């Protein structure tokens, strides 16, 4: 366990923690003392993330789970109760990208993106809220997106799902306030993860596309998973104990306008 110990004694669920942003958040929470449930449908990489945390001296377990299934969300919460006695932090990070212009967007694709990105946040929150309340309070952190704030072509389902997450976060903040449950959201612009690498890889010229992403960000680079993890840990920590209901952009200045 880490000497820093900002989360010593805390128990966390991080959904989608087998990859990218979720993995970085889970690893950093564990490094700072939390016991972390790696909840992901990816049974290839999920166990490796938990094993890596163990190897680094932290405590974690992997649970195969699909956030679109309420039974799986309940199992996540039950698992934290039986392993570690309760739940303090819920990170709703699992998400999928993709999409097409609305005129070409298949209903199945719309349903899948909305199910994972928005309904998954509702289902996990519904399952987790009683456990957070039972500990006398806690924190929910939802990974939304800058796409919930500014639109882009071919992102209809994704942008709508993330805007929904932002509004759901505010409702959770209000509903949880009197039980000392805070709920906040992060809205990252492009972050270098396998999701973005897959997106770039589908472009005719991936390298040019990757450079193009950077060019639209005033700070001149895309985000790293560490950028997101640092903000996530702040909002989950007691240092943010008077912050609830916010949707924090992590955008290298993009919302300010063009540099
Ligand atoms: N990478 C970016 O540029 C970026 C920007 C803004 C927001 N986000 C959001 O950040 C979150 C993480 O994205 P990432 O870039 O790390 O992607 P990623 O593809 O690297 O990781 C996503 C993880 O979610 C898991 N997952 C997907 N569907 C699931 C389901 N139904 N149940 C359980 N787990 C599931 C995947 O198995 C994967 O491990 C997503 O919500 C994404 O929308 C990403």
């Amino acid at each position: 366990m880490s000497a820093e110990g900002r989360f010593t004694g805390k128990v966390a669920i991080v959904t989608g923690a087998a990859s990218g942003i979720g993995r970085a958040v889970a690893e950093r929470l564990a490094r700072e003392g939390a016991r972390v449930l790696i909840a992901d449908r990816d049974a290839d990489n999920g166990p490796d993330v938990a094993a890596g945390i163990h190897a680094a001296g932290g405590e974690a377990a992997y649970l195969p789970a699909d956030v679109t299934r309420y039974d799986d969300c309940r199992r996540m919460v039950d698992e934290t109760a039986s392993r570690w006695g309760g739940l303090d932090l819920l990170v709703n990070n699992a998400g999928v990208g993709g999409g097409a212009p609305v005129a070409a967007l298949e209903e199945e694709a719309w349903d899948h993106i909305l199910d994972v990105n928005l309904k998954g946040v509702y289902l996990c929150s519904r399952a987790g809220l009683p456990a957070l309340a039972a500990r006398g309070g806690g924190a929910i952190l939802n990974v939304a997106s800058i796409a919930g704030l500014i639109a882009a072509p071919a992102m209809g389902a994704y942008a709508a799902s993330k805007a929904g997450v932002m509004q759901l976060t505010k409702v959770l903040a209000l509903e949880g306030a009197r039980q000392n449950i805070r709920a906040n959201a992060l809205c990252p612009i492009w972050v270098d993860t396998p999701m973005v690498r897959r997106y770039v890889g589908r472009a005719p010229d991936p390298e040019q596309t990757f450079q193009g992403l950077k060019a639209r960000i005033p700070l001149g680079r895309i985000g790293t998973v560490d950028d997101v993890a640092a903000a996530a840990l702040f909002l989950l920590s007691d240092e943010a104990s008077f912050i609830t209901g916010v949707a924090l952009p992590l955008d290298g200045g993009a919302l300010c306008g063009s540099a």
Side-chain angles (χ1 to χ4, degrees):
M1 195 168 287
S2 139
E4 297 161 78
R6 194 163 36 149
F7 293 93
T8 299
K10 303 286 187 191
V11 176
I13 293 172
V14 182
T15 70
S19 174
I21 291 169
R23 175 181 182 157
V25 171
E27 289 174 345
R28 197 151 169 171
L29 276 171
R31 220 163 50 230
E32 297 202 27
R35 289 164 288 180
V36 186
L37 190 74
I38 310 295
D40 200 298
R41 66 179 179 187
D42 178 353
D44 292 327
N45 294 308
D48 290 347
V49 175
I53 288 172
H54 271 289
E59 201 167 341
Y62 168 67
L63 185 79
D66 181 339
V67 298
T68 68
R69 294 166 187 261
Y70 185 57
D71 284 352
D72 284 12
C73 301
R74 289 286 304 272
R75 279 198 304 119
M76 293 176 203
V77 177
D78 291 347
E79 188 74 17
T80 56
S82 61
R83 274 181 183 273
W84 299 313
L87 178 67
D88 304 287
L89 311 168
L90 171 61
V91 181
N92 288 311
N93 162 80
V96 289
V102 171
L105 183 61
E106 299 288 346
E107 247 181 279
E108 292 74 17
W110 170 276
D111 286 345
H112 180 60
I113 293 167
L114 269 289
D115 275 357
V116 178
N117 293 5
L118 180 55
K119 189 176 177 186
V121 175
Y122 145 65
L123 291 176
C124 291
S125 301
R126 182 179 160 202
L129 281 164
L132 296 173
R135 295 276 262 207
I140 296 175
L141 195 270
N142 297 327
V143 182
S145 167
I146 203 83
L149 288 161
I150 40 175
M155 280 208 175
Y158 187 79
S161 73
K162 295 302 189 178
V165 168
M166 289 165 52
Q167 199 65 355
L168 179 57
T169 302
K170 292 184 190 176
V171 173
L172 287 168
L174 292 174
E175 291 180 355
R178 292 304 160 96
Q179 292 166 303
N180 196 31
I181 298 170
R182 298 181 299 106
N184 291 297
L186 292 179
C187 300
I189 200 163
W190 303 105
V191 180
D192 194 356
T193 69
M195 180 189 280
V196 162
R197 292 288 169 170
R198 285 191 298 273
Y199 167 78
V200 166
R202 286 193 294 270
D205 184 341
E207 185 50 33
Q208 193 188 17
T209 304
F210 192 73
Q211 295 306 326
L213 301 183
K214 289 192 205 172
R216 278 177 262 148
I217 301 175
L219 283 179
R221 64 175 179 87
I222 71 167
T224 66
V225 294
D226 288 334
D227 291 327
V228 185
L233 264 71
F234 167 67
L235 288 174
L236 289 165
S237 76
D238 290 344
E239 291 163 79
S241 64
F242 202 49
I243 302 178
T244 193
V246 306
L248 180 68
L250 294 177
D251 66 347
L255 284 178
C256 301
S258 323

